[in-house]
Amino acid sequence: MKIQAFRTEVTKHLREFDMFSENAVELLTMICAHESHGGRYMRQVGGGPARGFFQIELPTHDSVWANHDKIKQRARAYNIVQDAKLLETDLRYNVFVARHYLAMDTAPLPKGYIEMAMYAKSYWNRGGKATAEEYMKDLLLWERGLLG
């Protein structure tokens, strides 16, 4: 998927869920650029547990559904059913789960690409191999049409 089409779709879904901000769109775009190479890999390379555009691990998926205060109420309002299999096929579902995961952090979403990359490493990928630099590099590559 081309990056601008991805941003357009993410924006549409975040507005639908009343969770839109430019920072959320850009952070999710950066995460997608690194984690799934712009939506190219819907299953973690090497056979790991992560799935979808944002490479959400199944335990994380289940934790978001179990622990976010408003996710079940919002899911009913937007006709979304908890189903981890949708991570591999449905961008709308991915955005819904990922944005609720980000909302579980008490810190505000970062502003600026350097801060977003550092946040992606420290919150989204804590304990993982990725670096903030890799998040930024992959976003730039996707911007230039060299990723995905």
Side-chain angles (χ1 to χ4, degrees):
M1 176 180 285
K2 301 241 184 246
I3 195 168
Q4 199 50 47
F6 180 82
R7 282 185 174 121
T8 298
E9 287 297 305
V10 169
T11 296
K12 177 180 80 173
H13 297 313
L14 289 175
R15 286 188 191 283
E16 174 191 0
F17 305 142
D18 198 25
M19 298 181 86
F20 171 81
S21 74
E22 289 292 335
N23 293 341
V25 172
E26 290 308 308
L27 179 58
L28 290 173
T29 301
M30 180 180 283
I31 291 169
C32 179
H34 176 73
E35 296 292 345
S36 69
H37 286 224
R40 184 174 182 190
Y41 302 108
M42 292 293 105
R43 288 182 164 252
Q44 185 172 349
V45 175
R51 301 287 185 264
F53 289 87
F54 309 110
Q55 294 293 288
I56 299 170
E57 294 187 1
L58 300 179
T60 301
H61 170 272
D62 294 345
S63 176
V64 172
W65 278 96
N67 297 304
H68 189 285
D69 293 338
K70 297 180 181 177
I71 194 169
K72 290 178 182 163
Q73 175 187 353
R74 286 184 177 147
R76 282 190 298 278
Y78 300 112
N79 199 28
I80 293 174
V81 177
Q82 180 180 350
D83 184 352
K85 292 177 193 162
L86 292 173
L87 290 172
E88 294 184 50
T89 60
D90 188 339
L91 178 57
R92 181 176 181 257
Y93 186 80
N94 276 262
V95 170
F96 186 78
V97 174
R99 185 62 184 95
H100 282 85
Y101 179 62
L102 293 174
M104 291 173 70
D105 186 10
T106 57
L109 291 181
K111 297 176 184 174
Y113 291 107
I114 293 171
E115 292 81 7
M116 286 180 190
M118 292 170 37
Y119 181 86
K121 171 54 189 160
S122 67
Y123 183 71
W124 192 269
N125 190 264
R126 62 181 171 262
K129 296 177 188 176
T131 65
E133 292 80 10
E134 289 172 318
Y135 278 95
M136 288 195 60
K137 174 188 68 104
D138 288 338
L139 179 65
L140 291 171
L141 289 172
W142 198 12
E143 287 273 357
R144 293 185 173 111
L146 302 172
L147 182 71

